[in-house]
Amino acid sequence: MSLRHITHFPFLAKQTCIINLQPTPDDDKTDLRIWATCDDVFTALLACLGVPLDPIPEWHPRDSISIARLPPRTHPSYIDSARRLSQRAVLLGGLAVGNTHETVAERHRWTCYVRPAPAVATADLDAVITSAEFRLHDTFTPPRVTLTATPFEVTRVGWGTFEVTVVLHFRDEMNLPPLTLRHTLSFAMPDTVAVHPLNA
């Protein structure tokens, strides 16, 4: 119920409390006036009551698509908004660098990848990264692979593990310098991943 309804119809609320950082027209009509944010007040209230605070649930839009796949008729403002949301999500959630693995004819087929962290899995990396350079073992041809669009991943077949170096370059609006990440291939599980924060 809105503030105006409560103060105009007092029979619906025997006592009222206003929580706000700014003055309101009804400050003199309330039973309790708290100058704070609702988040701070209710976090403290739940702590006093011994009630655990539920974590913010992860939001994964069921039908999300990459920005590159938006229909041509999509208004530019929506594209810009989607790009900014993806950028903020990755800044908050970080990047996942890992590898998948399967055994093929006594050899190892692996894919080394850079993806959004699981908590922000639907973020569009094309809105964040302009290029990803994978530096492989010198025995691979070519030993360096540069990708400029998603998926940022390299698949190869080999005999053993080694450390893959990944150099990421970001879009200008991200205001981030190039980032070098290292991932040692693992064949122990079907998928091995580590999350790297960007806001550290």
Side-chain angles (χ1 to χ4, degrees), residues 90-91 93-95 179 195-200:
V90 172
L91 279 173
L95 292 169
L179 177 64
V195 174
H196 299 268
L198 295 183
N199 56 356

Side-chain angles (χ1 to χ4, degrees), residues 2 6 17 52 62 83 97 108-109 111 176 196:
S2 72
I6 291 175
C17 172
R62 185 178 54 189
R83 183 175 293 115
V97 180
H108 303 281
R109 183 195 303 275
T111 297
L176 292 172
H196 299 268

Side-chain angles (χ1 to χ4, degrees), residues 43-143:
T43 298
L45 177 61
L46 289 174
C48 290
L49 295 174
V51 177
L53 182 63
D54 292 336
I56 299 174
E58 295 179 6
W59 179 68
H60 299 295
R62 185 178 54 189
D63 302 317
S64 64
I65 61 174
S66 67
I67 294 173
R69 292 177 53 207
L70 289 173
R73 63 183 178 275
T74 305
H75 194 278
S77 64
Y78 289 103
I79 296 175
D80 289 341
S81 295
R83 183 175 293 115
R84 288 195 298 272
L85 284 171
S86 286
Q87 292 169 347
R88 179 164 177 77
V90 172
L91 279 173
L92 293 174
L95 292 169
V97 180
N99 74 271
T100 61
H101 165 261
E102 62 177 336
T103 302
V104 179
E106 298 183 354
R107 301 183 74 185
H108 303 281
R109 183 195 303 275
W110 51 265
T111 297
C112 187
Y113 59 80
V114 177
R115 298 172 183 166
V120 291
T122 57
D124 190 343
L125 282 192
D126 284 317
V128 177
I129 296 172
T130 57
S131 69
E133 179 189 14
F134 290 80
R135 298 177 182 175
L136 311 178
H137 195 275
D138 290 339
T139 55
F140 287 92
T141 303

